Amino acid sequence: MKYLSTRGSIAPIGFKDAVMMGLATDGGLILPESIPQLDRATVTAWSKLPYPELAFNIISLFATDIPQHDLKELIDRSYASFNHAETTPVVKKNGVYILELFHGPTLAFKDVALQLLGNLFEYLLKERGQKMNILGATSGDTGSAAIAGVRGKKNINIFILHPHLKTSPIQARQMTTVLDANVHNIAVKGTFDDCQDIVKTLFNDLPFKEKYALGAVNSINWARVLAQVVYYFYAWGRLPEQEEAVFSVPTGNFGDIFAGYLAKRMGLPVKKLLLATNENNILSRFVASGDYSLGQVVQTVSPSMDIQLASNLERYLYYLFNENPARVREAFAELRQTGRIVFSTEEVQQVQSEFLTCSVGEAETLKTIADFYRETGYTLDPHTAVGVHGALTCVTDGSSSICLATAHPAKFGEAVEKAIGAPTPLPPQLAALEGLETRCEVMEPDKDQVKAFLEAKAS
């Protein structure tokens, strides 16, 4: 399997090089040259496998340059860190299926990909005799999951930017209480988009990227998206009906829902992907009317979705534009110049044939948490509540709905307590964070400050 860039200016590379490159050197995102196709019998058979075996079967289709024995060992080790026998179990509540993606070390869906990516990095760096400085931005969960994936690992430093005081307090503590020498947290006085813009700017500084061997853990890294494809197949396999289903995905950066789009393209019986956003609804406007125009970021109780620039949308647009990298380049030049991308009527119709969408306000989010708790005794975190609200209100044709539960509710205890009137008990790994020493650098949203800090701390 070879890989290319959405912007069309890199020679085809293998999976190992795709993982190490992160952001393509032409500024685009990496995708496989072709998407493997699975027939219904294979999908059905594979979906009943234990999670690590399913992950191996799917990932091995894409990671063809890693010996199978090594790949299986990396996958098995990655999911041994999860605290549930099924890795990503599915429960049915109030007529919807909930895919619990929060049983990893940091209690967020990012663990599914980042435990694997950390092990992949360590494996490849050892193989190549190289070192890496990981640079990433987080709106909350990616940072702690990335840190958990690489803390203490040889030949890796990690630098994570997060918006100062705009993650949940627990999310911040999960990052800043990790004192391993190879971990560096930077709190940026701005938004997640400011953090992400700094990261992309530094990756596009090719001499700097090469000198400091920058690596990506954000969902710009192809391995992140690939690992997330697996749980769509696993969740579908838990449905008793084994029929086309709607997946409701709380969405900020488009990475998680793009993994679902890939699963559908591979042959998973997905009826529609429901893109659920909070008030920061640029992606919902894109699906509803083709309006992809930047607005102001609003701070909400679902901070991981407080995003305007969804970096993974570029991967989907590559397919929407019939795999034409010139059209992708034009679209993002237009976005930089005008703050919007204009789509044709035919393109909007294509989007709407594949996605449903809803935008869920603060009051609706809290009411969904409260109502769901009262009716079922099950506690939703605010991001999951956005997806559940979408499934309960937008899926009206009787289709089975699978809602992605992206984080443990205790990670957003203030919002949950506001909704249900009682605190959520803290799991032991979160309770243990209280009172621990923290380490973090607070900076202005200035790429030169971040650059100088990385230069000083890099190995």
Side-chain angles (χ1 to χ4, degrees):
M1 175 72 76
K2 294 293 185 181
Y3 291 84
L4 45 73
S5 168
T6 53
R7 302 197 186 182
S9 298
I10 67 169
I13 58 176
F15 176 77
K16 293 193 287 190
D17 287 335
V19 173
M20 298 298 280
M21 186 177 288
L23 185 71
T25 51
D26 63 358
L29 300 184
I30 289 171
L31 283 170
E33 280 190 326
S34 61
I35 298 173
Q37 300 299 297
L38 302 174
D39 60 32
R40 182 64 173 264
T42 301
V43 170
T44 301
W46 283 12
S47 69
K48 297 303 183 185
L49 295 172
Y51 194 92
E53 289 185 42
L54 174 64
F56 172 76
N57 283 7
I58 291 173
I59 293 170
S60 63
L61 297 174
F62 295 87
T64 54
D65 55 357
I66 295 180
Q68 294 215 337
H69 176 271
D70 291 356
L71 182 62
K72 188 173 189 313
E73 193 275 330
L74 287 167
I75 290 170
D76 288 347
R77 181 150 44 96
S78 299
Y79 298 119
S81 64
F82 282 61
N83 63 17
H84 195 287
E86 288 191 64
T87 308
T88 62
V90 176
V91 298
K92 188 176 185 182
K93 300 286 181 181
N94 209 17
V96 298
Y97 294 91
I98 297 177
L99 171 59
E100 294 185 342
L101 300 172
F102 50 74
H103 292 282
T106 70
L107 306 182
F109 81 100
K110 309 292 177 73
D111 290 322
V112 176
L114 286 164
Q115 284 294 300
L116 176 60
L117 185 58
N119 286 322
L120 273 170
F121 277 147
E122 187 176 49
Y123 171 85
L124 295 174
L125 290 169
K126 181 180 179 182
E127 178 181 81
R128 297 176 178 207
Q130 295 175 348
K131 294 186 177 182
M132 172 185 283
N133 292 295
I134 292 171
L135 177 62
T138 185
S139 55
D141 287 331
T142 292
S144 56
I147 288 167
V150 303
R151 63 181 297 183
K153 288 197 181 323
K154 294 178 181 178
N155 304 315
I156 303 175
N157 284 312
I158 184 166
F159 298 82
I160 292 293
L161 284 63
H162 70 270
H164 186 44
L165 303 179
K166 290 176 181 171
T167 68
S168 80
I170 280 179
Q171 285 177 315
R173 282 201 298 274
Q174 282 188 301
M175 293 184 282
T176 59
T177 56
V178 180
L179 304 182
D180 295 64
N182 71 328
V183 173
H184 306 281
N185 283 287
I186 300 170
V188 173
K189 294 179 181 178
T191 66
F192 168 73
D193 287 334
D194 292 322
C195 299
Q196 185 164 256
D197 187 56
I198 291 170
V199 169
K200 290 196 78 169
T201 299
L202 294 183
F203 269 96
N204 282 323
D205 181 345
L206 296 184
F208 180 78
K209 179 185 178 184
E210 185 174 336
K211 180 178 179 181
Y212 289 97
L214 296 188
V217 290
N218 282 57
S219 51
I220 58 175
N221 193 303
W222 164 249
R224 278 276 310 271
V225 176
L226 174 57
Q228 292 171 300
V229 170
V230 176
Y231 51 66
Y232 283 88
F233 283 86
Y234 187 81
W236 181 83
R238 313 277 82 70
L239 295 179
E241 304 87 2
Q242 298 280 276
E243 61 188 18
E244 279 194 332
V246 174
F247 282 86
S248 183
V249 189
T251 307
N253 216 17
F254 208 83
D256 206 5
I257 199 164
F258 180 74
Y261 171 78
L262 279 174
K264 182 179 182 181
R265 289 283 300 263
M266 291 174 69
L268 189 67
V270 177
K271 188 167 192 177
K272 286 283 185 84
L273 293 158
L274 199 170
L275 188 157
T277 69
N278 60 21
E279 291 97 321
N280 298 291
N281 64 356
I282 183 171
L283 289 170
S284 187
R285 288 186 279 113
F286 162 64
V287 173
S289 63
D291 174 17
Y292 193 78
S293 57
L294 300 180
Q296 291 297 311
V297 175
V298 179
Q299 195 167 347
T300 74
V301 293
S302 47
S304 298
M305 298 154 67
D306 293 348
I307 297 170
Q308 285 293 307
L309 283 167
S311 62
N312 267 283
L313 183 66
E314 180 164 342
R315 285 188 165 109
Y316 174 69
L317 294 186
Y318 176 80
Y319 294 113
L320 181 65
F321 298 154
N322 297 312
E323 303 183 25
N324 180 355
R327 175 78 172 95
V328 175
R329 292 194 300 270
E330 290 167 7
F332 283 91
E334 179 185 6
L335 181 64
R336 284 193 302 273
Q337 291 163 8
T338 68
R340 67 191 310 121
I341 300 174
V342 177
F343 298 93
S344 70
T345 300
E346 293 75 20
E347 287 165 349
V348 174
Q349 289 172 345
Q350 178 63 31
V351 172
Q352 292 173 347
S353 74
E354 295 170 330
F355 296 93
L356 298 169
T357 193
C358 67
S359 177
V360 184
E362 195 100 331
E364 292 171 307
T365 301
L366 294 172
K367 185 175 186 301
T368 300
I369 297 171
D371 291 349
F372 209 81
Y373 181 76
R374 185 182 66 255
E375 293 164 9
T376 69
Y378 190 92
T379 308
L380 304 170
D381 95 280
H383 306 79
T384 307
V386 168
V388 168
H389 179 89
L392 293 174
T393 58
C394 297
V395 182
T396 57
D397 63 356
S399 298
S400 295
S401 296
I402 301 173
C403 302
L404 274 60
T406 56
H408 192 288
K411 295 193 74 170
F412 302 92
E414 291 180 14
V416 172
E417 184 170 358
K418 184 177 180 181
I420 68 175
T424 301
L426 287 179
Q429 59 263 59
L430 296 185
L433 299 175
E434 194 65 42
L436 292 181
E437 181 185 351
T438 63
R439 188 177 71 224
C440 183
E441 296 288 329
V442 180
M443 297 185 191
E444 298 297 327
D446 180 348
K447 67 177 176 57
D448 292 326
Q449 280 191 43
V450 174
K451 190 174 182 178
F453 180 77
L454 191 148
E455 288 171 336
K457 300 293 185 180
S459 58

